[in-house]
Coordinates of all heavy atoms in Angstrom, one line a residue:
M1 N 44.1 46.7 127.5 CA 42.6 46.8 127.4 C 42.1 45.6 126.7 O 42.5 45.2 125.6 CB 42.4 48.1 126.5 CG 40.9 48.4 126.4 SD 40.5 49.9 125.4 CE 41.3 51.1 126.3
N2 N 41.1 45.0 127.4 CA 40.5 43.8 126.8 C 39.5 44.1 125.7 O 39.1 45.3 125.6 CB 40.0 42.8 127.9 CG 38.7 43.4 128.5 OD1 37.9 44.0 127.9 ND2 38.6 43.1 129.8
S3 N 39.0 43.2 125.0 CA 38.1 43.5 123.9 C 36.8 44.1 124.3 O 36.2 45.0 123.6 CB 37.8 42.2 123.0 OG 37.2 41.2 123.8
D4 N 36.3 43.7 125.5 CA 35.0 44.3 126.0 C 35.2 45.8 126.3 O 34.4 46.6 126.0 CB 34.5 43.6 127.3 CG 33.9 42.2 126.9 OD1 33.5 42.0 125.8 OD2 33.9 41.4 127.9
Q5 N 36.4 46.1 126.9 CA 36.7 47.5 127.3 C 36.9 48.3 126.0 O 36.4 49.5 125.9 CB 38.0 47.6 128.1 CG 37.8 47.1 129.5 CD 39.2 47.0 130.2 OE1 40.1 46.6 129.6 NE2 39.2 47.5 131.5
M6 N 37.5 47.7 125.0 CA 37.7 48.4 123.7 C 36.4 48.7 123.0 O 36.2 49.8 122.5 CB 38.6 47.6 122.8 CG 38.9 48.3 121.5 SD 40.0 47.4 120.4 CE 41.5 47.5 121.3
K7 N 35.5 47.7 123.0 CA 34.2 47.9 122.4 C 33.4 49.0 123.1 O 32.7 49.8 122.5 CB 33.4 46.6 122.3 CG 34.0 45.7 121.3 CD 33.2 44.4 121.2 CE 33.8 43.5 120.1 NZ 33.1 42.2 120.0
G8 N 33.5 49.0 124.4 CA 32.8 50.0 125.2 C 33.3 51.4 124.9 O 32.5 52.3 124.7
K9 N 34.6 51.5 124.9 CA 35.2 52.8 124.5 C 34.9 53.2 123.1 O 34.6 54.4 122.8 CB 36.7 52.8 124.8 CG 37.4 54.1 124.5 CD 38.5 54.3 125.5 CE 39.0 55.7 125.2 NZ 39.7 56.3 126.3
W10 N 34.9 52.3 122.2 CA 34.6 52.5 120.8 C 33.2 53.1 120.7 O 32.9 54.1 120.0 CB 34.7 51.3 119.9 CG 34.3 51.5 118.5 CD1 33.2 51.0 117.9 CD2 34.9 52.4 117.6 NE1 33.2 51.4 116.5 CE2 34.3 52.3 116.4 CE3 36.1 53.2 117.6 CZ2 34.6 53.0 115.2 CZ3 36.4 53.9 116.5 CH2 35.7 53.8 115.3
N11 N 32.2 52.5 121.4 CA 30.8 53.1 121.4 C 30.8 54.5 121.9 O 30.0 55.3 121.3 CB 29.9 52.2 122.2 CG 29.6 50.8 121.6 OD1 29.6 50.8 120.4 ND2 29.3 49.8 122.4
Q12 N 31.6 54.9 122.8 CA 31.6 56.2 123.3 C 32.3 57.2 122.3 O 31.9 58.3 122.2 CB 32.5 56.3 124.6 CG 31.8 55.6 125.8 CD 32.8 55.5 127.0 OE1 33.8 56.1 127.0 NE2 32.3 54.9 128.0
L13 N 33.2 56.7 121.5 CA 34.0 57.5 120.6 C 33.4 57.6 119.2 O 33.9 58.4 118.4 CB 35.4 57.0 120.5 CG 36.2 57.1 121.8 CD1 37.6 56.5 121.6 CD2 36.4 58.6 122.1
K14 N 32.3 56.9 118.9 CA 31.7 57.0 117.6 C 31.4 58.4 117.2 O 31.6 58.8 116.0 CB 30.5 56.1 117.5 CG 30.8 54.6 117.5 CD 29.5 53.8 117.4 CE 29.8 52.4 117.5 NZ 28.6 51.6 117.4
G15 N 30.9 59.2 118.1 CA 30.5 60.6 117.8 C 31.8 61.4 117.4 O 31.7 62.2 116.5
E16 N 32.8 61.1 118.1 CA 34.1 61.8 117.8 C 34.6 61.5 116.4 O 35.1 62.3 115.7 CB 35.2 61.5 118.9 CG 34.8 61.9 120.3 CD 34.7 63.5 120.4 OE1 35.5 64.2 119.8 OE2 33.8 63.9 121.0
V17 N 34.4 60.2 116.0 CA 34.8 59.8 114.7 C 34.0 60.6 113.7 O 34.5 61.1 112.7 CB 34.6 58.3 114.4 CG1 34.9 57.9 113.0 CG2 35.5 57.5 115.4
K18 N 32.7 60.7 113.9 CA 31.8 61.4 112.9 C 32.2 62.9 112.9 O 32.1 63.5 111.8 CB 30.3 61.3 113.3 CG 29.8 59.8 113.3 CD 29.5 59.4 111.9 CE 28.2 60.0 111.5 NZ 27.5 59.3 110.5
K19 N 32.7 63.5 113.9 CA 33.1 64.9 113.9 C 34.3 65.1 113.1 O 34.5 66.0 112.3 CB 33.4 65.4 115.4 CG 32.2 65.7 116.2 CD 32.6 66.2 117.6 CE 31.5 66.2 118.5 NZ 31.9 66.6 119.9
Q20 N 35.3 64.1 113.2 CA 36.5 64.2 112.5 C 36.4 63.8 111.0 O 37.0 64.4 110.2 CB 37.5 63.3 113.2 CG 38.9 63.2 112.5 CD 39.8 64.4 112.9 OE1 39.6 65.0 113.9 NE2 40.8 64.7 112.1
W21 N 35.6 62.8 110.8 CA 35.4 62.3 109.4 C 33.9 62.1 109.1 O 33.3 61.0 109.3 CB 36.1 60.9 109.3 CG 37.6 60.9 109.5 CD1 38.5 61.4 108.5 CD2 38.3 60.5 110.5 NE1 39.7 61.2 109.0 CE2 39.7 60.7 110.3 CE3 38.0 60.0 111.8 CZ2 40.7 60.4 111.2 CZ3 39.0 59.7 112.7 CH2 40.4 59.9 112.4
A22 N 33.3 63.2 108.6 CA 31.9 63.2 108.4 C 31.4 62.2 107.4 O 30.2 61.8 107.4 CB 31.5 64.7 108.0
N23 N 32.3 61.8 106.5 CA 31.9 60.9 105.4 C 31.8 59.4 105.9 O 31.3 58.5 105.2 CB 32.8 60.9 104.3 CG 32.7 62.2 103.5 OD1 31.8 63.0 103.7 ND2 33.7 62.4 102.6
V24 N 32.2 59.2 107.2 CA 32.1 57.8 107.7 C 30.7 57.6 108.1 O 30.1 58.4 108.8 CB 33.1 57.7 108.9 CG1 32.8 56.3 109.6 CG2 34.5 57.8 108.5
T25 N 30.1 56.5 107.6 CA 28.7 56.2 107.9 C 28.5 55.4 109.2 O 29.5 54.8 109.7 CB 28.1 55.4 106.7 OG1 28.7 54.1 106.7 CG2 28.3 56.1 105.4
D26 N 27.3 55.3 109.6 CA 26.9 54.5 110.8 C 27.3 53.0 110.5 O 27.8 52.3 111.4 CB 25.5 54.6 111.2 CG 25.2 56.0 111.7 OD1 26.1 56.6 112.3 OD2 24.0 56.4 111.7
D27 N 27.1 52.5 109.3 CA 27.4 51.2 108.9 C 28.9 51.0 109.0 O 29.4 49.9 109.4 CB 26.9 50.8 107.5 CG 25.4 50.6 107.4 OD1 24.8 50.4 108.5 OD2 24.9 50.7 106.3
D28 N 29.7 52.0 108.6 CA 31.1 51.9 108.7 C 31.5 51.8 110.1 O 32.4 51.0 110.5 CB 31.8 53.2 108.1 CG 31.7 53.3 106.6 OD1 31.6 52.3 105.9 OD2 31.8 54.5 106.2
L29 N 30.9 52.5 111.0 CA 31.2 52.5 112.4 C 31.0 51.1 113.0 O 31.7 50.6 113.8 CB 30.5 53.5 113.2 CG 30.8 55.0 112.9 CD1 29.9 55.9 113.6 CD2 32.2 55.3 113.3
L30 N 29.9 50.5 112.6 CA 29.6 49.1 113.0 C 30.7 48.1 112.5 O 31.1 47.2 113.2 CB 28.2 48.7 112.5 CG 27.0 49.3 113.2 CD1 25.7 49.0 112.5 CD2 27.0 49.0 114.7
K31 N 31.1 48.3 111.3 CA 32.1 47.5 110.7 C 33.4 47.6 111.4 O 34.2 46.6 111.6 CB 32.2 47.7 109.2 CG 33.2 47.0 108.4 CD 33.2 47.1 106.9 CE 33.4 48.6 106.5 NZ 33.5 48.7 105.0
I32 N 33.8 48.8 111.7 CA 35.1 49.1 112.3 C 35.3 48.4 113.7 O 36.3 47.8 114.0 CB 35.3 50.6 112.4 CG1 35.5 51.2 111.0 CG2 36.6 50.9 113.3 CD1 35.4 52.8 111.1
E33 N 34.3 48.6 114.5 CA 34.2 47.9 115.9 C 35.5 48.2 116.7 O 36.0 47.3 117.4 CB 34.0 46.4 115.8 CG 32.7 46.1 115.2 CD 32.5 44.5 115.1 OE1 33.5 43.8 114.8 OE2 31.4 44.1 115.3
G34 N 36.2 49.4 116.5 CA 37.4 49.7 117.3 C 38.6 49.0 116.7 O 39.7 49.1 117.4
N35 N 38.6 48.4 115.5 CA 39.7 47.7 114.9 C 40.5 48.7 114.1 O 40.0 49.3 113.1 CB 39.2 46.6 114.1 CG 40.3 45.8 113.4 OD1 41.0 46.3 112.5 ND2 40.6 44.6 113.9
R36 N 41.8 48.9 114.4 CA 42.6 49.9 113.7 C 42.7 49.7 112.2 O 42.5 50.6 111.4 CB 44.0 49.9 114.3 CG 45.0 50.9 113.7 CD 46.4 50.7 114.3 NE 47.3 51.6 113.6 CZ 48.0 51.3 112.5 NH1 47.9 50.1 112.0 NH2 48.9 52.2 112.0
D37 N 42.9 48.5 111.8 CA 43.1 48.2 110.4 C 41.8 48.4 109.6 O 41.8 49.0 108.5 CB 43.5 46.7 110.2 CG 44.9 46.5 110.6 OD1 45.7 47.5 110.6 OD2 45.3 45.3 111.0
K38 N 40.6 48.1 110.2 CA 39.4 48.3 109.6 C 39.1 49.8 109.5 O 38.6 50.4 108.5 CB 38.2 47.6 110.3 CG 38.2 46.1 110.2 CD 37.1 45.5 111.0 CE 37.1 44.0 110.9 NZ 36.0 43.4 111.7
F39 N 39.5 50.5 110.6 CA 39.3 52.0 110.6 C 40.1 52.6 109.5 O 39.6 53.5 108.7 CB 39.8 52.5 112.0 CG 39.4 53.9 112.4 CD1 39.7 54.3 113.7 CD2 38.7 54.7 111.6 CE1 39.4 55.5 114.1 CE2 38.4 56.0 112.0 CZ 38.7 56.4 113.3
I40 N 41.4 52.3 109.3 CA 42.3 52.8 108.3 C 41.7 52.5 106.9 O 41.6 53.4 106.1 CB 43.7 52.2 108.4 CG1 44.3 52.8 109.7 CG2 44.5 52.5 107.2 CD1 45.6 52.1 110.1
G41 N 41.1 51.3 106.7 CA 40.5 50.9 105.4 C 39.4 51.8 105.1 O 39.2 52.2 104.0
V42 N 38.5 52.1 106.1 CA 37.3 52.9 105.9 C 37.8 54.3 105.5 O 37.2 55.0 104.6 CB 36.4 52.9 107.1 CG1 35.4 54.0 107.1 CG2 35.7 51.5 107.2
I43 N 38.8 54.9 106.2 CA 39.2 56.2 105.9 C 39.8 56.3 104.5 O 39.5 57.2 103.7 CB 40.3 56.7 107.0 CG1 39.6 56.8 108.4 CG2 40.9 58.0 106.6 CD1 38.4 57.6 108.5
Q44 N 40.5 55.3 104.1 CA 41.1 55.2 102.7 C 39.9 55.2 101.7 O 40.0 55.9 100.7 CB 41.9 53.9 102.5 CG 43.3 53.9 103.1 CD 43.9 52.6 102.7 OE1 43.9 51.6 103.5 NE2 44.6 52.6 101.6
E45 N 38.9 54.4 102.0 CA 37.8 54.2 101.0 C 37.0 55.5 100.9 O 36.7 55.9 99.8 CB 36.9 53.1 101.5 CG 35.8 52.8 100.6 CD 34.9 51.6 101.2 OE1 35.5 50.7 101.7 OE2 33.7 51.7 101.1
R46 N 36.6 56.1 102.1 CA 35.7 57.3 102.1 C 36.4 58.5 101.5 O 35.8 59.4 101.0 CB 35.2 57.5 103.5 CG 34.3 56.4 104.0 CD 32.9 56.5 103.3 NE 32.1 55.4 103.7 CZ 31.6 54.5 102.8 NH1 31.8 54.7 101.5 NH2 30.9 53.5 103.2
Y47 N 37.7 58.6 101.8 CA 38.4 59.8 101.4 C 39.5 59.7 100.3 O 40.1 60.7 100.0 CB 39.1 60.5 102.7 CG 38.0 61.0 103.7 CD1 37.5 60.2 104.6 CD2 37.5 62.2 103.5 CE1 36.6 60.6 105.5 CE2 36.5 62.7 104.4 CZ 36.1 61.9 105.4 OH 35.1 62.3 106.2
G48 N 39.6 58.5 99.8 CA 40.5 58.3 98.7 C 42.0 58.5 99.1 O 42.8 59.1 98.2
K49 N 42.4 58.2 100.2 CA 43.7 58.4 100.7 C 44.6 57.3 100.6 O 44.1 56.1 100.6 CB 43.7 58.9 102.2 CG 42.9 60.2 102.5 CD 42.9 60.5 103.9 CE 42.2 61.8 104.1 NZ 43.0 63.0 104.2
E50 N 45.9 57.5 100.5 CA 46.9 56.5 100.5 C 46.9 55.8 101.9 O 46.6 56.5 102.9 CB 48.3 57.0 100.2 CG 48.4 57.6 98.8 CD 48.4 56.5 97.7 OE1 48.9 55.4 98.0 OE2 47.8 56.7 96.7
K51 N 47.3 54.6 102.0 CA 47.3 53.9 103.2 C 48.1 54.6 104.3 O 47.7 54.7 105.5 CB 47.8 52.4 103.1 CG 47.7 51.6 104.4 CD 48.1 50.2 104.2 CE 48.0 49.5 105.5 NZ 48.3 48.1 105.4
A52 N 49.3 55.1 103.9 CA 50.2 55.7 104.9 C 49.6 57.0 105.4 O 49.7 57.3 106.7 CB 51.6 56.0 104.3
E53 N 48.9 57.7 104.6 CA 48.2 58.9 105.1 C 47.1 58.6 106.0 O 46.9 59.3 107.0 CB 47.7 59.8 103.9 CG 47.1 61.1 104.3 CD 46.6 61.9 103.1 OE1 46.8 61.4 101.9 OE2 46.1 63.0 103.3
A54 N 46.3 57.6 105.6 CA 45.2 57.2 106.5 C 45.7 56.7 107.9 O 45.1 57.0 108.9 CB 44.3 56.1 105.8
E55 N 46.8 56.0 107.8 CA 47.4 55.5 109.1 C 47.8 56.6 110.0 O 47.6 56.6 111.2 CB 48.6 54.6 108.8 CG 48.2 53.2 108.3 CD 49.5 52.4 108.0 OE1 50.5 53.0 107.5 OE2 49.4 51.2 108.1
R56 N 48.4 57.6 109.4 CA 48.9 58.8 110.2 C 47.7 59.5 110.8 O 47.7 59.9 112.0 CB 49.7 59.8 109.3 CG 51.1 59.4 109.1 CD 51.9 60.5 108.4 NE 51.4 60.9 107.1 CZ 51.7 60.3 106.0 NH1 52.5 59.3 106.0 NH2 51.2 60.8 104.9
E57 N 46.6 59.7 110.0 CA 45.4 60.4 110.6 C 44.8 59.6 111.7 O 44.4 60.1 112.7 CB 44.4 60.6 109.5 CG 44.7 61.7 108.5 CD 43.6 62.0 107.6 OE1 42.4 61.7 107.9 OE2 43.9 62.6 106.5
V58 N 44.6 58.3 111.5 CA 44.0 57.4 112.5 C 44.8 57.4 113.7 O 44.3 57.5 114.9 CB 43.7 56.0 111.9 CG1 43.3 55.1 113.0 CG2 42.6 56.1 110.9
D59 N 46.1 57.2 113.6 CA 47.0 57.1 114.7 C 47.1 58.4 115.5 O 47.1 58.4 116.7 CB 48.4 56.7 114.3 CG 48.5 55.2 113.9 OD1 47.6 54.5 114.2 OD2 49.5 54.9 113.2
S60 N 47.0 59.6 114.8 CA 47.0 60.8 115.5 C 45.7 61.0 116.2 O 45.7 61.5 117.4 CB 47.1 62.0 114.4 OG 46.9 63.2 115.0
W61 N 44.6 60.6 115.6 CA 43.3 60.6 116.3 C 43.3 59.7 117.6 O 42.9 60.1 118.6 CB 42.2 60.2 115.4 CG 40.8 60.2 115.9 CD1 40.0 61.3 116.0 CD2 40.2 59.1 116.5 NE1 38.8 60.8 116.6 CE2 38.9 59.5 116.9 CE3 40.5 57.8 116.8 CZ2 38.0 58.7 117.6 CZ3 39.6 57.0 117.5 CH2 38.4 57.4 117.8
N62 N 43.9 58.6 117.4 CA 44.0 57.6 118.5 C 44.9 58.1 119.6 O 44.5 57.9 120.8 CB 44.5 56.3 118.1 CG 44.4 55.3 119.2 OD1 43.4 55.0 119.8 ND2 45.6 54.7 119.5
N63 N 46.0 58.8 119.3 CA 46.8 59.3 120.4 C 46.0 60.3 121.3 O 46.3 60.4 122.5 CB 48.0 60.0 119.7 CG 49.1 59.1 119.2 OD1 49.1 57.9 119.6 ND2 49.8 59.6 118.3
H64 N 45.1 61.0 120.7 CA 44.3 61.9 121.5 C 43.2 61.1 122.3 O 42.9 61.5 123.5 CB 43.6 62.9 120.6 CG 42.7 63.9 121.3 ND1 43.2 64.8 122.1 CD2 41.4 64.0 121.4 CE1 42.2 65.5 122.6 NE2 41.1 65.1 122.2
H65 N 42.6 60.0 121.7 CA 41.5 59.3 122.3 C 41.9 58.0 123.1 O 41.1 57.5 123.8 CB 40.4 59.1 121.3 CG 39.8 60.3 120.8 ND1 40.3 61.0 119.7 CD2 38.8 61.1 121.3 CE1 39.6 62.1 119.5 NE2 38.7 62.1 120.4
K66 N 43.1 57.5 122.8 CA 43.6 56.3 123.5 C 42.6 55.1 123.4 O 42.2 54.5 124.4 CB 43.9 56.6 124.9 CG 44.8 57.8 125.2 CD 46.2 57.4 124.8 CE 47.1 58.6 125.3 NZ 47.9 59.1 124.2
L67 N 42.3 54.7 122.2 CA 41.4 53.5 122.0 C 42.3 52.2 122.1 O 41.9 51.3 122.7 CB 40.7 53.6 120.7 CG 39.7 52.4 120.4 CD1 38.7 52.3 121.4 CD2 39.1 52.6 119.0
W68 N 43.4 52.2 121.4 CA 44.2 51.0 121.4 C 45.7 51.3 121.7 O 46.1 52.4 121.7 CB 44.1 50.2 120.1 CG 44.3 50.9 118.9 CD1 45.5 51.3 118.3 CD2 43.3 51.5 118.0 NE1 45.3 52.0 117.2 CE2 44.0 52.2 117.0 CE3 42.0 51.6 118.1 CZ2 43.3 52.9 116.0 CZ3 41.3 52.3 117.1 CH2 41.9 52.9 116.0

């Protein structure tokens, strides 16, 4: 998937992110831009989770939505 396709899919999935993680802000979504590492960092920050736990959650979510 090229970067344009990823950004397009990310725009479609923003609502799904908000359903799963209500504490993620619109500014966070703009910052993440479909980037896994940024996504994990935001989940860590907003929910006070360890990196490994945030990675598991984000990867599980991604397995369902197939962003990257």
Side-chain angles (χ1 to χ4, degrees):
M1 182 179 301
N2 69 36
S3 64
D4 288 337
Q5 290 172 315
M6 183 180 290
K7 285 181 182 180
K9 184 141 182 157
W10 177 246
N11 286 332
Q12 294 173 3
L13 292 173
K14 286 178 182 178
E16 296 297 318
V17 172
K18 296 280 282 202
K19 285 180 190 175
Q20 179 81 23
W21 295 284
N23 291 351
V24 174
T25 67
D26 290 335
D27 286 342
D28 292 333
L29 293 172
L30 289 172
K31 179 171 58 173
I32 294 168
E33 297 178 325
N35 180 288
R36 179 183 179 272
D37 292 332
K38 290 179 183 179
F39 197 174
I40 290 166
V42 166
I43 298 305
Q44 282 183 268
E45 182 181 324
R46 293 287 173 237
Y47 291 92
K49 295 183 181 261
E50 296 290 326
K51 183 176 183 179
E53 184 179 1
E55 285 177 328
R56 281 191 299 275
E57 283 187 23
V58 168
D59 288 343
S60 175
W61 180 87
N62 184 58
N63 286 339
H64 181 70
H65 295 91
K66 305 287 188 237
L67 180 60
W68 53 82

